[in-house]
């Protein structure tokens, strides 16, 4: 259930970041978040880390910094918000992937992994429906939702 909640929050945060900071920044932040569980897998589980992976990680970081330096204004008057949102996306998706890797390493085998992922997506769907339904109820009772 926790994995599904985190996944639903991640999707909403990704959409909000794409609206406020740009699609390329949001997608890049979510994709680069895979670095968090990769580094933790190297440190905690003894996974291998070679020179090729080092070079790809450095290249990805270079691309991220070059795209992140874009000064386009997407309707956000506060520059700190435009900078904070991709960082939140990065860490939240990193948390999701880390929790997935931890659960896979400790509790799942190859047959139960797909059931776990499917269940987490189901709970993400349930959480999303609850959030959207609550927004419609609030909007109908109190006017436009904030």
């Amino acid at each position: 259930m926790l994995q599904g909640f985190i996944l639903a929050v991640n999707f909403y945060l990704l959409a909000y970041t794409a609206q406020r900071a740009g699609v390329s920044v949001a997608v890049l932040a979510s994709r680069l978040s895979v670095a968090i569980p990769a580094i933790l897998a190297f440190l905690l589980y003894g996974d291998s880390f070679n020179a090729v992976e080092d070079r790809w990680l450095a290249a990805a970081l270079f691309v991220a910094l070059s795209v992140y330096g874009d000064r386009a204004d997407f309707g956000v008057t506060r520059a700190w918000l435009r900078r904070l949102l991709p960082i939140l996306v990065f860490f939240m998706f990193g948390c999701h992937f880390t929790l997935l890797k931890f659960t896979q390493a400790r509790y799942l085998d190859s047959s139960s992994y797909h059931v776990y992922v499917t269940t987490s997506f189901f709970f993400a769907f349930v959480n999303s429906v609850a959030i959207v339904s609550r927004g419609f109820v609030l909007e109908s009772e109190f006017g436009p939702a904030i």
Side-chain angles (χ1 to χ4, degrees):
M1 288 175 30
L2 175 65
Q3 188 79 20
F5 177 75
I6 291 173
L7 194 59
V9 169
N10 283 344
F11 287 143
Y12 282 109
L13 187 60
L14 183 67
Y16 189 75
T17 303
Q19 290 172 347
R20 301 295 182 225
V23 173
S24 61
V25 173
V27 169
L28 193 59
S30 70
R31 297 293 185 235
L32 284 178
S33 67
V34 176
I36 293 173
I39 291 170
L40 287 176
F42 170 69
L43 295 174
L44 299 176
Y45 303 117
D47 286 357
S48 64
F49 204 62
N50 58 32
V52 174
E53 292 170 348
D54 288 343
R55 289 187 181 115
W56 279 112
L57 193 57
L61 184 60
F62 175 74
V63 169
L65 292 175
S66 65
V67 170
Y68 192 63
D70 190 356
R71 302 275 188 226
D73 183 17
F74 289 91
V76 177
T77 57
R78 296 177 201 98
W80 62 269
L81 182 62
R82 215 174 29 246
R83 297 196 183 279
L84 178 66
L85 287 172
I87 293 169
L88 286 174
V89 168
F90 177 78
F91 282 113
M92 286 299 292
F93 270 94
C95 177
H96 165 72
F97 291 129
T98 300
L99 184 60
L100 187 63
K101 174 67 177 172
F102 174 77
T103 306
Q104 180 185 14
R106 298 280 175 150
Y107 302 110
L108 302 176
D109 58 6
S110 61
S111 64
S112 62
Y113 176 75
H114 296 292
V115 173
Y116 177 78
V117 171
T118 304
T119 304
S120 69
F121 272 96
F122 173 74
F123 279 110
F125 172 74
V126 169
N127 285 318
S128 298
V129 168
I131 290 169
V132 169
S133 298
R134 179 153 172 84
F136 286 134
V137 169
L138 288 176
E139 187 173 327
S140 65
E141 290 179 13
F142 302 107
I146 297 173

